[in-house]
Amino acid sequence: MGDKTPRQQARLERQKRAASTPTRGGKRPVASPPDDPTLDRPFRFRFNEVDVDSQWCLTKINPTDHRVLIDFMREMENLSVREVLNGRIGKREDVAGGSPNPDAQRRAQERYPDDHDRIHSLHLTGAKRLWGIQNQNEFSVIWWDPDHDVWPTKRVYGN
């Protein structure tokens, strides 16, 4: 491990922990060290990474979903990171390396080459997802995904 950067070493450790975590229903729970002081900080949104040129750009949101999103974000910012991780944040996905959607894979590789392994989804209602890069207590929004297209599943959602 001596020739790896600290970021690469941390990533390897996360992968090892994830591989040894028991699954329930085929999904691995989001795991964070219980003594991590950042977990008690308020959850915050940032918009410095928004992908304005993608098909999932936040500017393409319809007025009804916009209201749902604002209410959701307001609710999340009243919670600690620990509370969000235990309830509403989706799995961390390496979109660039594994999404069933090749457009999402390509876009993550192009736009977020150094951060694509920290991309998370937040589940709002039904198929609606807000994708972003999780860094401690900050969630940098990147994509609005009202139809669950970034990481499609066979599950049918009734929005």
Side-chain angles (χ1 to χ4, degrees), residues 106-144:
R106 181 186 47 75
R107 191 63 184 170
Q109 290 167 353
E110 290 171 0
R111 182 88 164 104
Y112 307 103
D114 296 329
D115 294 315
H116 66 78
D117 63 330
R118 294 186 298 139
I119 294 176
H120 290 267
S121 65
L122 289 173
H123 174 226
L124 280 76
T125 61
K128 295 173 184 9
R129 302 290 187 271
L130 186 65
W131 289 85
I133 299 169
Q134 179 72 32
N135 187 11
Q136 295 184 353
N137 70 316
E138 296 179 340
F139 187 85
S140 294
V141 176
I142 60 172
W143 297 320
W144 168 246

Side-chain angles (χ1 to χ4, degrees), residues 44-147:
R44 294 294 178 248
F45 291 95
R46 294 184 52 119
F47 296 92
N48 58 318
E49 297 287 343
V50 173
D51 187 359
V52 295
D53 297 320
S54 78
Q55 68 192 66
W56 305 288
C57 182
L58 194 57
T59 60
K60 296 178 182 178
I61 193 168
N62 69 46
T64 302
D65 284 350
H66 189 233
R67 175 62 186 253
V68 169
L69 179 60
I70 295 298
D71 289 343
F72 172 80
M73 292 171 74
R74 186 180 310 138
E75 177 186 339
M76 292 300 99
E77 285 196 333
N78 286 318
L79 302 175
S80 70
V81 175
R82 184 183 315 276
E83 292 169 314
V84 174
L85 289 174
N86 288 337
R88 296 298 293 264
I89 199 162
K91 297 184 297 182
R92 176 177 40 220
E93 304 285 10
D94 184 356
V95 176
S99 173
N101 182 332
D103 293 334
Q105 273 192 22
R106 181 186 47 75
R107 191 63 184 170
Q109 290 167 353
E110 290 171 0
R111 182 88 164 104
Y112 307 103
D114 296 329
D115 294 315
H116 66 78
D117 63 330
R118 294 186 298 139
I119 294 176
H120 290 267
S121 65
L122 289 173
H123 174 226
L124 280 76
T125 61
K128 295 173 184 9
R129 302 290 187 271
L130 186 65
W131 289 85
I133 299 169
Q134 179 72 32
N135 187 11
Q136 295 184 353
N137 70 316
E138 296 179 340
F139 187 85
S140 294
V141 176
I142 60 172
W143 297 320
W144 168 246
D145 183 14
D147 300 316

Side-chain angles (χ1 to χ4, degrees), residues 22-43:
T23 64
R24 190 170 21 142
K27 292 186 176 184
R28 297 188 188 283
V30 175
S32 296
D35 58 347
D36 184 348
T38 62
L39 294 176
D40 295 317
R41 291 183 185 166
F43 192 77

